[in-house]
Amino acid sequence: MRPLRLDMAGFTVFRDETTVDFTDADYFALVGPTGSGKSTVLDGICFALYGTVPRWGGTRGIGNALAPSATEARVRLVFESAGSRYVATRVVRRDGRGNVKTAGAGLQLMPPGFDVTRLDTGMSLDDLGDVLAGTPAEMDRAIVEAVGLPYEQFTSCVVLPQGQFADFLHAKPATRQQILVNLLGLHVYEEVQTRAANRATKAEAQLAVVDQALAGLADADDEAVDAAAARLAAMRDLTTAVEEAMPRLRAVRERETELAAARDAIAGELAALARVEAPAGSVRVAEAAATAQAALTEAAAGVRAAEEHEEKVRGELAAAGDAGSLGLLLDRHVECDRLTSQAEWFAGEVSVAEVEYKDAVTAAELARSAQLGAEQLLEQARLDYAEAQTLDRAAALRAHLTAGHECPVCEQKVTTVPPMPEGSAVQAAERQGKAARAAADVATTAWKQRDAVARELERGLDRKRAQFEQHKARLAEVKAGLADSPGVEALRTRLAELTRLQRKLDEAGAAVRTAREAQRKAQGAVAAAEEQQRAAWRAFDAVRDAVARFAPPPADRDDLAGAWSALVEWAQQSARRRQADRDEATVAVEAAHAETQRTRAAVAGLFTDRGLPAPAGAADADLIRAAAVAAERAQAAWQRLSDRREEARAYAEQRAALVRDGRVAKSLAGHLRANNFERWLLEEALDLLVDGASRILRELTGGQYDLIHDKGEFFVIDHHDAGLRRAVRTLSGGETFQASLALALALSEQLAGMSTTAASLESIVLDEGFGTLDAATLDVVAATLENLAARGDRMVGVVTHVHALAERVPVRFEVHKDARTAHVERVGL
């Protein structure tokens, strides 16, 4: 595998789109400061191919592929392998919930002469050739087929991880042995041993099942199959014999059936003639119809007489007058008496109300006079109170008068100061005023109450006078309406006559309804009698139609009894003639049945002669079906034995194969169970590895060193020191690098040889810490890499930040990193 072009966008430190063009870079170096992203270029190659990188711990943590805060990462690698050119693309995205998933993966085989500049248009999965894979699972298989190496061997042969370059050279024998087991895939023999042991165990279990099945098929031998074939032949002969005998049996059975049908036909005619019998009461049907018709005529006459009587009474009632008018006049007489009595009562009520009103008016006037007197007393009390106030003020000044001094009011000399009065004149006036006010309030309240009573009685008097006037007016109106009345007694007499005539009319109406109900019943009786007569004729017609095929005599439709008598006599004569015919037909049927039984017994004998029970069914189909069933059962028994014999043979063959496979698997498991086989394989692999590494080391060191191993330890033969044997740990740094590089190249070639596909080892990239080497060793390493590149059989790449080593590499890819993203710039050829 030889990389040609790597495109990255959003991948780890390469946030922006970055292209690394390896075209014509047979020997290149990835240079730049520590942490600038040099190893990330190799990560991009591994991720595009295998979906993971060594620095992720061997896990497929694709979340590591995204640049910080990026939502998508795209990586595309164009590479050559075994003369073909491929393009591998992987796309991962982060969804809204923060989950990172593979959004696209594809491997395409580019056509010859493909213009690589088309890749500058973008990082899409556009058609760049034949699609070899379109999903991650498909791509895993397709990459192994295209590159020739799985992921673990690719990182051991093509891209060598940093810090692990000399581990294999300096490892302990046990550790190196385990590394070879892992790298060369020798653990597959342990899996082969486990599978072989499981297969041997499974074969033993299957062998027990097969032996059990064979034991169950022991009866399916050739003799049993031959006996079943003979039985089948006999049953087929039985079927043929039964089919040949069936025409004779069907003929005699058909003859018996025909005779029985003739006998049954005669019996049917006899049964039909026996059912010709006159029903009871057929003579009384006509008499009942005549009686019902006479009753209907009588009922119609009764209806007419009742209706005529009702009309006569109705005329008398109309001539007697209107009961409603007479009743209204009688009601008015009653109302006149009632109004007269009420008018007298209202007149008394008005008189009483007038007296009460006059008394109330007088009491109100007296109360009004008392109120006026009380108000006068109250006014006098007010005057007395004012005068008392003046007296009290004058008395109050006496305390300030002195005899011989001037009065402050009148400014005259006071000769004598009068004595102070006892008590206060105002207080006495207030007591009198309060008493006067209380009397005035009582008088006012009494006047208002009596005045209100008088007013209420006045309103009551007005109402009663109005009611009295209304009754007087109504009484006059009623009396005017009774001016032409004949009187109460005369009215009552005429009303009694009208009531009598109304009862008479009601009785006449009831008589009409009774007569009409009798007429309806008579009509129903006539209809029922006529229906009975029609039903009797229908019954006669039904019986006659049942024997019409025997030509009965014609019937007189006017005489039902005579028609029945003639039909019954004819039926009895016809039955006597057919009785003799039935006896002869019975004898013939019995003879035909005996012949049928003999013929069927002969057919049943065909079954008993072959050891089968006679069929239980009496039908011909039962005999044929029984023979066919016997043949089918014999066929099934023979087929079952034949199949079981074939099954037994198949089991026998399977048993032989299981015994053979079980022995092989058991033997293989036993051989692989010992450690000698794995040890032998490891020694062979180590011999091949050391031979190849020694050849490469001689070429790298100008023939100075050969590499050998002894008891799992590595040694070098120094030809510049008389073939001295030295441990590899005594080598200098540069010599150690040469020996490790020789082992890495030999190991990659051996892994390629052991690969199941055609591996194409056209490149090797060393991600090694060259900064720890001294100047002399670094010079040796640089010379070694130059010699390796000069061989021309593969691309050589190194990852370093050592300026002295980078200057000796013809093509350099300088990696720089700023605050946002990393950049790659090609310098050199």
Side-chain angles (χ1 to χ4, degrees), residues 489-510:
E489 293 300 327
L491 290 173
R492 288 177 178 172
T493 301
R494 292 175 63 182
L495 283 174
E497 179 64 17
L498 288 174
T499 301
R500 185 185 65 78
L501 290 175
Q502 183 63 44
R503 283 199 301 272
K504 188 175 179 180
L505 179 62
D506 294 340
E507 291 172 357

Side-chain angles (χ1 to χ4, degrees), residues 719-732:
H719 294 290
H720 291 182
D721 195 6
L724 178 65
R725 174 176 169 176
R726 297 166 51 191
V728 294
R729 294 187 181 276
T730 64
L731 297 175
S732 65

